[in-house]
Amino acid sequence: MRSPRIRWTVICIDVLVLAADQASKALAVAAAPHGSRGGLVWAGLVRNTGASFGIGTGHPVVITVVAAAALAAAVSWLARTSRPGAALCLAAVAGGAAGNLADRLLRSPGAARGAVVDWIHVAGYPAAFNLADV
């Protein structure tokens, strides 16, 4: 990432992904949609204390440490890549990882034990997810 233009683009992508994720979660929590399962995609609030598909539920501190390590790895790879396409993709991954890590650190029941807010449901897909996951 030697190019200043790519660096600024990466920073903007990170911030936009994080902001969109947190704003959508705030709207989902405020609306508290229960979901109606009417159609291909619907909104329904789920608080996930585990990782994908609920893996690790009951071990929130371990999941938080793993999430922080994943974010650190994405940022490390991002800092070392010389390919603009890879940098842009890693920026989106880092922004999403930061969004879910923010939930784990800042949402109830407390630091390193918080639940990620998932709210997007797709017919035929077994788990709810959020914009950070996309």
Side-chain angles (χ1 to χ4, degrees), residues 22 64 105 107 117 124:
Q22 291 299 303
T64 301
L105 294 174
R107 292 195 186 272
V117 172

Side-chain angles (χ1 to χ4, degrees), residues 65-96:
V65 169
V66 170
L71 176 58
V75 170
S76 174
W77 289 327
L78 182 57
R80 292 183 291 152
T81 190
S82 60
R83 298 181 304 180
L88 298 177
C89 291
L90 285 167
V93 168

Side-chain angles (χ1 to χ4, degrees), residues 1 7-8 35 45 50 70 74 81 86 98 118 121 125 128:
M1 286 200 332
R7 254 182 270 150
W8 278 110
L45 190 61
T81 190
D118 289 330
H121 298 265
Y125 189 72

Side-chain angles (χ1 to χ4, degrees), residues 3-107:
S3 165
R5 190 172 113 208
I6 293 294
R7 254 182 270 150
W8 278 110
T9 303
V10 162
I11 291 168
C12 288
I13 289 172
D14 280 339
V15 170
L16 285 173
V17 169
L18 177 60
D21 175 62
Q22 291 299 303
S24 69
K25 289 173 181 175
L27 289 171
V29 169
H34 298 290
S36 64
R37 293 187 183 248
L40 183 62
V41 179
W42 67 92
L45 190 61
V46 175
R47 295 185 186 268
N48 183 3
T49 59
S52 297
F53 303 102
I55 296 169
T57 299
H59 305 285
V61 175
V62 173
I63 297 298
T64 301
V65 169
V66 170
L71 176 58
V75 170
S76 174
W77 289 327
L78 182 57
R80 292 183 291 152
T81 190
S82 60
R83 298 181 304 180
L88 298 177
C89 291
L90 285 167
V93 168
N100 283 341
L101 183 60
D103 281 3
R104 296 191 186 286
L105 294 174
L106 303 174
R107 292 195 186 272

